[in-house]
Amino acid sequence: MSAAAEPAVPAEGDLELAADQAIEACGGDAREAVKALIVANGFIEAQLDELRTKVSTGYARGRLPQARDRKE
């Protein structure tokens, strides 16, 4: 098992279906779907940053890009 997880690459049909679903969820407006996905991505990145601060450096074994600040 490698230290860095490889992202799963979805099949082309899966991407097309997901894109169609996102556009449909936004009333058929592709621009609104893109904006919604950008907002969702920002939310997920914020959650990831919060979780990174909660993981100890020892547990992560230095694999996380930002080191956790220690309380003195």
Side-chain angles (χ1 to χ4, degrees):
M1 181 180 238
S2 66
E6 293 294 322
V9 178
E12 181 66 28
D14 293 343
L15 285 175
E16 291 296 324
L17 178 61
D20 290 341
Q21 288 173 341
I23 293 168
E24 183 180 336
C26 292
D29 188 347
R31 185 176 177 84
E32 288 300 315
V34 170
K35 290 184 340 187
L37 292 171
I38 290 170
V39 169
N41 191 49
F43 177 74
I44 292 169
E45 286 179 357
Q47 283 184 318
L48 181 59
D49 288 341
E50 181 180 341
L51 290 173
R52 280 185 179 147
T53 63
K54 293 179 180 180
V55 174
S56 72
T57 304
Y59 180 78
R61 296 188 179 129
R63 291 181 287 212
L64 297 178
Q66 297 173 347
R68 180 178 161 182
D69 292 333
R70 292 182 163 237
K71 294 181 181 179
E72 296 200 26

